[in-house]
Amino acid sequence: MLKSIQKYLFALIILFGALIYYTSNIIPYGLWGSGNQENVVYLPAAVEKNENRLIVAEKNIGDRYNPLLATTSGEERVCELVFDGLVELNVQGELIPELAAFWEVSDDAKVYTFHLKEGIYFHDGTPLTTEDVAFTYTFLASPYYQGPFSDKVMDLEGARAFNQRKSETDGIAGIRVLDERTIQFVLTEPNVLKLYDFQFGILPKHIYQVDSWGDFLALNDKPIGSGAFRLINHTNQSIQLEANEEYYQKPANIDGIEIVKLENYDANSVYYLSEGKLDIASINPNPQNVQRFASSSQVKLISHDSNSYGYIGLNLRDPKFQDVKVRQALMHGINRAFFAETFYKGYGEVCNAPAPYLTALTINGLEEYPFDPMAAKAILKEAGWQDLDANGILEKDGKEFRFTLSTYTDSNYSYNVAALLRSNLKDLGIVMEVEFLPFNELLDRVFFQRDFDAYTLHWVIGPEQQMLGTFDQQSDRVGGYNSVGYRNEKAEEIFQKVLRTVREEEREMLVEQWIRIANQDLPYLFLSYNVEMMGVNKRVENFHPSAFSGWADQAKQLILRKPGNSTLSLN
């Protein structure tokens, strides 16, 4: 991945010049700060020294602390700490028991039976039973539910009838409580990957069974679960949690956790790690940060493959983006290799399909879409886009090629992607405006309002290679993750076959077929992969992050070394 020094310096000079020329009116002052004190936004006053309390930085912390609603990284972290699911992923990405002691799957992969562990209690002291499990999964199918995860239960017997108010009962036929510790889920069709859907944190029925959706949302800021930590307080800047001393497993080794939202995150996370005032923070993977911490006496860097990719989502309901030739032309017209090399500086690669980097390398014949503006212009011309009046802007059927990219604030990544896109597309005769939104507002605009031309985000690739729940037709709905409106009948057939195919080798062949389709049909404009890099204070022990398991998943096993904690004073 590393290039020669000469080539790197030349590319960096070109990028710097291009960014200054094309983006002086969209990149805010101070973007290029690298953690110097002049760029610092001070940590909240509520953050106080505590020798056995973990302090973690996040880009956003959100306000929907409910496992059936959480979508931002901060919300998901809180839910991982406060709630437990039936199963969870370990560091290797394998499903292991959490609330479930064990489970059984029928030979036809249509019946999943879970047996709960003994002695599990919610934070208010109420026992957790299978009635709570049934309530949680039934609520996902409720006609009142307005979150993104209802597709996870629609394959249960009776779920659709319940969702459409056609059920004669108050529940779902495919959810069967056998006793206080045994529950059964019955599917309409075989699904060998169904276990992955049982990671949702379980809600206490006696608290969350309310009269209206508004009442349900009102519980977001005071979540009650069965997890290893309790939420004590939160503001728009920080979240405080304390260890649950009555946790059914071994209680956490640490007393509590403070999650801090940092403005100008890229600069401030590095600065506060350097000052010893943060325990864990994700940082940009680049040589500057590696060099900065190489000789640090108190910070170590941990890196791993992220299993994620950055992408541009186009609204495929827009006629101009429905044409696959246009999407292929845009892929050729964006200098993605230049971005991956100069932004990640040896820690990123170009992405051409919705597959992990190492998986994509094993598939021969994938189109790589090299940067080629002339080819892009030729393809656009084939698609009917030409500059007929010589004003520098392509048009078709009397309409100019214009659109707006919606992206998020407080991120070097989003500012640089926007700058590169606008520059490259201008050379093709396409006018792209940019709007920067707070992260939560962007998510609402994309997945719930569905009011966008194009947007930029990342996906973490799941076990089904982000097929179901992201590109399937059922997820093309308000709140669903197929926000772009992608439809492909051949792909839909593959998605369903994957669920019914027991043999792993056959599933891998089907997944490869989907990757090849996506590589040609381009449901997204795929941008890049990158290594995930964490800055970790050396007092933190027993932390082993991976693409499948982060600090929140491992919080209850973390140990904070006692001696010499004076560096944690945030005053």
Side-chain angles (χ1 to χ4, degrees):
M1 293 173 67
L2 295 176
K3 309 297 183 183
S4 70
I5 296 296
Q6 183 179 15
K7 183 178 180 182
Y8 161 68
L9 289 175
F10 177 75
L12 187 59
I13 291 169
I14 297 297
L15 174 65
F16 188 69
L19 289 175
I20 289 176
Y21 181 79
Y22 288 114
T23 70
S24 58
N25 63 335
I26 68 169
I27 294 185
Y29 177 76
L31 172 65
W32 307 107
S34 58
N36 295 323
Q37 185 130 17
E38 297 81 21
N39 298 313
V40 165
V41 176
Y42 290 100
L43 291 179
V47 181
E48 301 171 356
K49 175 181 175 180
N50 184 318
E51 291 186 351
N52 201 34
R53 189 153 137 274
L54 188 76
I55 302 175
V56 184
E58 288 285 348
K59 290 184 180 180
N60 59 79
I61 58 177
D63 57 7
R64 292 155 65 98
Y65 308 129
N66 182 317
L68 308 191
L69 301 174
T71 53
T72 71
S73 61
E75 292 167 347
E76 290 172 350
R77 303 292 183 272
V78 171
C79 289
E80 288 161 4
L81 297 164
V82 175
F83 298 89
D84 282 340
L86 293 173
V87 299
E88 64 177 335
L89 291 176
N90 65 12
V91 173
Q92 290 78 35
E94 302 161 335
L95 284 169
I96 60 174
E98 192 167 28
L99 293 175
F102 61 97
W103 59 82
E104 297 137 353
V105 181
S106 63
D107 291 340
D108 62 0
K110 290 180 64 176
V111 181
Y112 288 73
T113 305
F114 293 89
H115 304 265
L116 299 184
K117 296 174 181 175
E118 295 185 29
I120 304 173
Y121 293 87
F122 289 111
H123 296 158
D124 65 353
T126 304
L128 186 153
T129 73
T130 48
E131 288 291 342
D132 301 294
V133 178
F135 167 76
T136 300
Y137 283 89
T138 299
F139 194 86
L140 284 171
S142 166
Y144 305 105
Y145 173 68
Q146 298 175 34
F149 305 117
S150 62
D151 59 293
K152 301 302 183 183
V153 296
M154 287 304 166
D155 57 351
L156 297 175
E157 284 188 357
R160 292 193 181 280
F162 179 73
N163 177 259
Q164 298 167 8
R165 297 186 177 87
K166 296 179 180 179
S167 174
E168 297 181 359
T169 69
D170 294 331
I172 296 174
I175 299 179
R176 302 171 183 176
V177 173
L178 304 185
D179 58 47
E180 283 193 349
R181 290 176 47 217
T182 310
I183 187 168
Q184 198 170 75
F185 295 87
V186 183
L187 313 184
T188 57
E189 298 288 342
N191 183 347
V192 297
L193 298 175
K194 187 63 181 174
L195 274 178
Y196 289 95
D197 291 342
F198 293 109
Q199 298 178 69
F200 288 103
I202 300 303
L203 305 176
K205 179 179 179 180
H206 67 284
I207 292 176
Y208 285 87
Q209 188 175 45
V210 292
D211 295 330
S212 70
W213 179 247
D215 291 339
F216 187 76
L217 293 179
L219 296 170
N220 282 342
D221 63 351
K222 45 189 175 184
I224 300 292
S226 61
F229 294 87
R230 309 168 187 260
L231 190 147
I232 301 304
N233 185 44
H234 73 90
T235 68
N236 60 0
Q237 289 184 302
S238 66
I239 302 168
Q240 295 86 40
L241 303 103
E242 69 175 13
N244 174 15
E245 296 298 331
E246 307 301 321
Y247 191 51
Y248 65 96
Q249 299 183 45
K250 179 181 178 291
N253 297 310
I254 58 178
D255 295 335
I257 300 171
E258 177 117 17
I259 305 174
V260 182
K261 177 187 176 184
L262 291 182
E263 306 297 337
N264 193 12
Y265 180 92
D266 295 333
N268 286 318
S269 58
V270 171
Y271 173 78
Y272 281 120
L273 279 167
S274 301
E275 292 292 301
K277 297 179 179 181
L278 289 174
D279 288 316
I280 297 175
S282 174
I283 64 173
N284 279 338
N286 59 49
Q288 291 94 326
N289 285 336
V290 171
Q291 182 178 4
R292 179 168 191 147
F293 293 112
S295 59
S296 173
S297 62
Q298 58 186 359
V299 177
K300 60 185 175 182
L301 295 183
I302 303 176
S303 61
H304 60 82
D305 291 334
S306 64
N307 257 22
S308 68
Y309 61 86
Y311 70 96
I312 303 296
L314 304 174
N315 193 332
L316 301 182
R317 303 168 192 85
D318 185 328
K320 63 176 171 288
F321 293 135
Q322 288 177 354
D323 189 340
V324 68
K325 287 185 177 296
V326 169
R327 303 198 294 273
Q328 292 172 345
L330 294 179
M331 286 283 278
H332 280 296
I334 300 170
N335 199 340
R336 299 173 301 133
F338 179 62
F339 172 77
E341 181 176 348
T342 53
F343 184 76
Y344 291 115
K345 301 178 178 68
Y347 294 89
E349 286 287 356
V350 167
C351 174
N352 295 307
Y357 174 67
L358 294 178
T359 300
L361 286 179
T362 66
I363 302 176
N364 297 322
L366 291 183
E367 176 60 55
E368 296 183 357
Y369 298 100
F371 180 57
D372 189 341
M374 295 303 294
K377 290 178 181 179
I379 296 172
L380 286 167
K381 186 175 182 179
E382 288 179 23
W385 291 96
Q386 301 182 66
D387 182 9
L388 299 177
D389 54 9
N391 68 344
I393 303 174
L394 298 178
E395 60 182 87
K396 179 180 179 180
D397 300 330
K399 294 183 179 180
E400 292 184 334
F401 202 139
R402 297 175 176 270
F403 71 95
T404 298
L405 176 75
S406 302
T407 189
Y408 47 97
T409 55
D410 295 324
S411 169
N412 284 2
Y413 173 86
S414 58
Y415 289 123
N416 280 272
V417 167
L420 180 74
L421 286 174
R422 193 162 74 166
S423 169
N424 288 166
L425 296 182
K426 180 181 178 181
D427 291 342
L428 299 182
I430 297 172
V431 177
M432 187 192 84
E433 302 295 337
V434 183
E435 65 170 348
F436 293 99
L437 303 169
F439 191 76
N440 285 0
E441 187 176 332
L442 175 65
L443 295 183
D444 184 68
R445 178 84 66 85
V446 169
F447 297 110
F448 292 92
Q449 298 181 37
R450 308 180 113 189
D451 179 19
F452 64 90
D453 296 331
Y455 67 90
T456 179
L457 282 173
H458 280 74
W459 274 129
V460 176
I461 304 171
E464 318 93 321
Q465 312 299 342
Q466 284 294 312
M467 296 185 295
L468 293 161
T470 307
F471 298 112
D472 60 305
Q473 295 180 15
Q474 185 173 300
S475 298
D476 179 11
R477 56 179 175 76
V478 173
Y481 283 155
N482 187 0
S483 60
V484 298
Y486 180 68
R487 300 292 181 105
N488 183 302
E489 294 302 327
K490 177 61 177 176
E492 196 72 20
E493 291 178 15
I494 292 173
F495 299 161
Q496 299 308 315
K497 285 181 181 178
V498 166
L499 299 181
R500 297 192 295 269
T501 302
V502 175
R503 293 186 58 196
E504 185 173 352
E505 297 83 0
E506 294 179 10
R507 285 205 310 275
E508 289 176 351
M509 292 175 61
L510 290 168
V511 168
E512 180 176 325
Q513 289 179 36
W514 153 241
I515 291 172
R516 290 185 181 281
I517 288 174
N519 173 249
Q520 293 293 322
D521 203 30
L522 298 175
Y524 294 148
L525 303 183
F526 301 102
L527 291 180
S528 59
Y529 302 105
N530 66 274
V531 170
E532 184 73 22
M533 187 170 289
M534 307 289 292
V536 182
N537 191 290
K538 290 183 179 179
R539 78 181 191 125
V540 179
E541 298 178 348
N542 210 23
F543 180 36
H544 309 286
S546 74
F548 308 101
S549 179
W551 71 262
D553 303 289
Q554 301 179 36
K556 54 181 174 279
Q557 72 188 37
L558 298 182
I559 297 172
L560 300 182
R561 196 169 57 232
K562 298 293 184 183
N565 280 323
S566 60
T567 56
L568 284 191
S569 174
L570 301 179
N571 298 322

